[in-house]
Amino acid sequence: MAGRDVRLDADWSRDDEPVFVISRAAELAGMHPQTLRQYDRLGLVTPSRTSGRGRRYSRRDVVQLIEVQRLSQEEGINLAGIRRILALESEVRRLEHRVELLAAAAEPGSRIFTAALSGDVVAVRAGQRTRRGARGRAQGETTPAERAALVVWRPQR
């Protein structure tokens, strides 16, 4: 499809920034805008909304649209199954993050704690960045203010 010629794998600095109107997102994903509206109603790919309730899609949303279409057309999975797959993938990512946090907390002497803008304190492994939990934030991506909030704690010996 012509829409897939666009380089979605480029190193964009803000994967979750809602920048595409529905017509552009549909073009990038190689779909009809009505399909995007249906996926939104079904909760498969939920874009951000403007104050006037217009849909705005991020690069990550477009990639997810393409994956939903692939699962449907190439794998023959119905939309209910796709919704379940997406939910399970999200849960796996959440659990992987939890395992990383627990592993970091279990290593005495190598704990690093970061403070997010929200005030949450998170333990991470040395040399790693925090994962953000809020929608609109990419895994491993931090803002300048969050990078400035890094606190390294080493116990007195």
Side-chain angles (χ1 to χ4, degrees):
M1 292 184 189
R4 293 185 188 204
D5 294 338
V6 177
R7 293 220 15 151
L8 289 175
D9 59 346
D11 184 23
W12 294 7
S13 61
R14 297 184 179 142
D15 288 348
D16 290 316
E17 187 174 334
V19 294
F20 302 117
V21 294
I22 191 167
S23 59
R24 181 65 177 142
E27 179 185 339
L28 290 170
M31 299 177 178
H32 192 278
Q34 192 59 39
T35 304
L36 276 64
R37 290 183 189 96
Q38 182 66 23
Y39 288 173
D40 185 11
R41 279 191 290 277
L42 294 172
L44 292 172
V45 179
T46 306
S48 298
R49 297 286 186 148
T50 64
S51 58
R53 301 289 297 147
R55 292 172 174 90
R56 291 293 184 269
Y57 290 83
S58 68
R59 177 186 171 272
R60 191 173 312 278
D61 292 332
V62 173
V63 169
Q64 190 167 9
L65 286 166
I66 292 169
E67 177 64 6
V68 168
Q69 187 176 44
R70 186 192 71 75
L71 289 170
S72 175
Q73 292 179 352
E74 295 176 17
E75 303 293 331
I77 301 171
N78 65 26
L79 296 179
I82 293 171
R83 183 182 2 216
R84 182 70 176 140
I85 288 169
L86 295 176
L88 289 170
E89 287 175 345
S90 177
E91 180 69 4
V92 166
R93 283 190 301 274
R94 187 188 70 76
L95 291 171
E96 285 173 342
H97 176 62
R98 182 73 177 141
V99 167
E100 288 177 11
L101 292 176
L102 291 171
E107 294 179 24
S110 63
R111 296 180 196 160
I112 296 177
F113 297 91
T114 63
L117 292 176
S118 66
D120 294 334
V121 177
V122 180
V124 296
R125 290 181 187 270
Q128 287 187 340
R129 293 182 182 196
T130 61
R131 289 185 174 190
R132 299 189 228 174
R135 178 170 163 72
R137 295 182 181 180
Q139 171 184 334
E141 183 182 324
T142 58
T143 64
E146 288 172 322
R147 286 191 296 271
L150 178 65
V151 178
V152 177
W153 177 78
R154 292 194 175 99
Q156 300 278 334
R157 294 185 190 221

